[in-house]
Amino acid sequence: KSISASSKYLFLFNGAMYNTSYSNVKQAREGFVSNIIVFRCISLITMQAAQLNYKLFKKSSKGNTEIEDHPLLDLLNNPYPSMAKNEFLRKLFTYYLIYGQAYTWLKYPFDDLTFQNKPPVFLYPLRPDKMEIKEGANFLPKYYKYQDEYQTLKFDVSMLGQSNIIHMKTVNPLDEFTGLSPTFPAAYPIDQHNESSIWNLGLLKNG
């Protein structure tokens, strides 16, 4: 079974209950892009999270010694050529708060799709609405598939759970493989706010 941007839960949208599927794209559009309250809340959280400063320590019998120069720190502070640390963290946490999950692509030289037992050279946050998860045995994915208008990428997962994808997700009582969006429990109030805003704007336009 594959899980993609559309899955199978019961949620409230536009004042009605749907027992078929929901769209992550629709939730992102209505619950973030079109709702100033949710947008502001998520923006404030991610702006603060993006200020995170990394520190690396070496543990020894004499205590912890801070390491100020290390390839790991270089990678975290410069995750991608076109993306600074703050932008990377804002994207990652924004995806996490909208979709309940976030995906980081570990990029290696010459082979971006196969896990390698060494540090990656770049990190890139992938859009969750473009990701599909193929369920596997032992509560592990079989593979991740990312598809947009430009490319299709398939990331296999080993029996030990190793892959080029780091998958962060919230607790979801309805699914082992995907996170639950923090905005879903508020879907009905979000719809009420959006619809009332549209109604009020219509009244103003009609005089």
Side-chain angles (χ1 to χ4, degrees):
K1 182 173 65 173
S2 295
I3 304 170
S4 62
S6 296
S7 294
K8 67 283 182 244
Y9 304 131
L10 173 64
F11 288 111
L12 292 166
F13 286 113
N14 296 324
M17 298 180 95
Y18 291 86
N19 198 20
T20 52
S21 65
Y22 71 88
S23 166
N24 274 339
V25 175
K26 180 178 180 181
Q27 184 67 10
R29 183 179 296 115
E30 296 185 5
F32 179 71
V33 177
S34 301
N35 190 286
I36 184 59
I37 297 174
V38 179
F39 178 86
R40 182 62 174 161
C41 289
I42 291 179
S43 295
L44 286 173
I45 294 171
T46 56
M47 281 191 293
Q48 292 300 312
Q51 303 303 314
L52 177 68
N53 290 317
Y54 304 110
K55 289 191 176 183
L56 184 63
F57 293 89
K58 182 178 180 181
K59 188 175 182 180
S60 67
S61 58
K62 297 181 180 180
N64 298 328
T65 303
E66 184 175 357
I67 301 174
E68 297 183 355
D69 186 14
H70 193 277
L72 177 59
L73 293 174
D74 294 337
L75 175 64
L76 294 174
N77 288 315
N78 300 279
Y80 201 70
S82 62
M83 190 178 301
K85 182 198 76 170
N86 284 15
E87 183 183 355
F88 171 81
L89 290 176
R90 284 205 68 179
K91 277 193 173 184
L92 197 68
F93 289 123
T94 298
Y95 292 155
Y96 184 81
L97 292 173
I98 293 175
Y99 299 103
Q101 52 200 344
Y103 301 90
T104 300
W105 180 9
L106 309 181
K107 293 176 67 65
Y108 297 96
F110 310 115
D111 188 354
D112 285 337
L113 304 181
T114 304
F115 176 78
Q116 301 178 35
N117 192 25
K118 61 181 181 180
V121 293
F122 296 123
L123 304 173
Y124 191 84
L126 295 172
R127 285 176 52 180
D129 61 302
K130 303 294 185 180
M131 186 69 79
E132 176 186 328
I133 304 174
K134 176 67 175 180
E135 295 183 3
N138 301 319
F139 305 106
L140 292 173
K142 186 175 181 180
Y143 61 77
Y144 296 94
K145 187 170 74 172
Y146 183 85
Q147 185 171 5
D148 59 21
E149 56 269 32
Y150 304 109
Q151 59 189 342
T152 299
L153 305 170
K154 183 181 176 184
F155 306 93
D156 291 324
V157 181
S158 73
M159 295 182 63
L160 298 177
Q162 299 169 319
S163 78
N164 279 29
I165 297 296
I166 296 177
H167 184 192
M168 298 167 48
K169 59 181 182 294
T170 61
V171 175
N172 188 343
L174 302 175
D175 196 298
E176 293 284 350
F177 293 90
T178 62
L180 180 65
S181 168
T183 64
F184 277 131
Y188 196 24
I190 289 172
D191 276 341
Q192 286 180 317
H193 183 271
N194 290 345
E195 293 298 326
S196 62
S197 297
I198 294 172
W199 176 269
N200 290 335
L201 179 61
L203 289 177
L204 290 174
K205 285 184 175 181
N206 292 328

